[in-house]
Amino acid sequence: MRALIIDDSSVMRKVIERALRQSGLDLTEVVEASNGEEALEALRKDAGSPQKIGLIISDINMPVMDGLQFLEARRDQQLAAGVPVVMITTEGSEPFVLRAIAAGAQGYICKPFTAEQVKARVMPLIEAA
Amino acid sequence: MAASQAKQPEWIARLDSAVFEVFEMMLARNCSPAEIADAIAPCISARILFSGVIDGECVLFASESVARATAEALLGIPSEPGDPMAGDAIGELCNMIAGGWKSKLGSDEAGCAISPPSIATHDGTIEVNAHEGIRRFYSFEGHVFGVHMNF
């Protein structure tokens, strides 16, 4: 599976990738983006790919375009429709969670997190997709 | 300011809890309060701004070697001098501590927004004897870093 990980911290992108691999996910490639704008561009390029991105993990607080703006733009532009999106963020308050879900996020994990929490939220979405 | 000062003991307890939680869950390390230092050697700092219901900042500062130890603990791989991941690790540590601290507030105050971290490097020592706000030092495996919160 190919996954798109969006976070302005390169360290956190690596930490999330490691947690996904520890969850048992067979990742063939990880596409990295440091903000929502880069992520949208990655999804546009991915549209013609034979093996499409099958999972999107996104932070919320990012410069240029944040995670919620990314979700809304992705929905409006109909990019990667049906691909599970899980937010991993420090923003755990209800308004953020509700807005993320309304914009298409299926999972929500608050930082700090454990690999077990990532597995519990992500794997059911992958199996159902 | 008076209201903020009245809440300081509670906010310190929440800060300690947020720091310990981040280290336990993300770094698999024990972290404990440390003696107050007067200055931190040439170092890296990360700043998060709070805005909205609460206006203020959270600044985390550490030496370059402590930043590298943090990157190693987060990533599980060695970090060499000059590693750009070191500053990034301090930024993410600050982000998670500020976010964890915010999440432990009451529902009204937790509605404040937090900014992405801004990271800076400093050639000289940083004086850390600020007179306002919360200032705490922590240690993990002998590595000491500081957190300053001001509102």
Side-chain angles (χ1 to χ4, degrees):
Chain A
M1 165 176 288
R2 298 173 68 234
L4 171 61
I5 300 178
I6 314 161
D7 198 303
D8 55 324
S9 162
S10 57
V11 165
M12 189 49 59
R13 294 196 298 269
K14 299 296 181 198
V15 169
I16 291 169
E17 178 180 347
R18 190 170 65 164
L20 290 174
R21 293 188 190 280
Q22 287 174 344
S23 298
L25 208 58
D26 183 17
L27 289 176
T28 55
E29 185 190 2
V30 171
V31 179
E32 297 187 21
S34 61
N35 59 62
E37 207 165 88
E38 287 183 12
L40 289 172
E41 185 57 32
L43 290 179
R44 286 187 202 104
K45 286 181 182 169
D46 186 63
S49 169
Q51 191 197 1
K52 292 190 171 39
I53 287 167
L55 173 67
I56 300 171
I57 305 284
S58 181
D59 189 14
I60 288 183
N61 272 330
M62 294 179 287
V64 184
M65 178 185 282
D66 70 31
L68 295 175
Q69 292 169 325
F70 160 73
L71 281 178
E72 290 160 354
R74 167 185 166 267
R75 180 192 57 197
D76 295 345
Q77 296 175 32
Q78 299 181 321
L79 291 166
V83 175
V85 182
V86 177
M87 310 305 283
I88 298 186
T89 176
T90 54
E91 290 287 7
S93 58
E94 195 175 15
F96 286 95
V97 177
L98 294 177
R99 190 174 156 198
I101 290 171
Q106 287 103 329
Y108 209 98
I109 300 170
C110 286
K111 298 175 186 173
F113 58 86
T114 63
E116 288 75 21
Q117 288 172 334
V118 172
K119 182 177 184 179
R121 303 289 197 290
V122 170
M123 294 310 279
L125 296 174
I126 298 296
E127 288 161 8
Chain B
M1 179 58 73
S4 296
Q5 286 175 341
K7 288 181 176 180
Q8 278 202 5
E10 179 188 341
W11 285 1
I12 288 171
R14 292 180 195 278
L15 175 60
D16 287 353
S17 174
V19 171
F20 302 154
E21 192 174 70
V22 169
F23 271 79
E24 184 180 339
M25 295 178 76
M26 299 298 297
L27 290 86
R29 302 285 193 281
N30 288 322
C31 184
S32 55
E35 292 294 315
I36 291 176
D38 292 328
I40 295 274
C43 77
I44 299 171
S45 67
R47 172 178 274 105
I48 298 273
L49 300 176
F50 298 92
S51 60
V53 180
I54 292 177
D55 280 310
E57 64 178 5
C58 174
V59 182
L60 192 151
F61 43 94
S63 69
E64 205 259 349
S65 65
V66 173
R68 282 193 285 114
T70 304
E72 285 183 358
L74 275 168
L75 296 169
I77 54 174
S79 174
E80 302 298 327
D83 183 356
M85 290 285 195
D88 202 29
I90 290 299
E92 194 52 38
L93 191 61
C94 186
N95 183 39
M96 289 189 286
I97 289 169
W101 179 85
K102 191 189 94 159
S103 73
K104 296 173 192 303
L105 296 170
S107 57
D108 290 343
E109 291 168 323
C112 69
I114 59 175
S115 72
S118 58
I119 300 159
T121 55
H122 309 269
D123 292 333
T125 56
I126 283 191
E127 298 297 325
V128 290
N129 55 345
H131 297 290
E132 293 185 352
I134 300 166
R135 188 180 62 250
R136 300 283 283 169
F137 289 85
Y138 301 94
S139 172
F140 69 100
E141 296 179 339
H143 304 293
V144 176
F145 66 94
V147 179
H148 182 79
M149 300 185 85
N150 198 16
F151 302 98

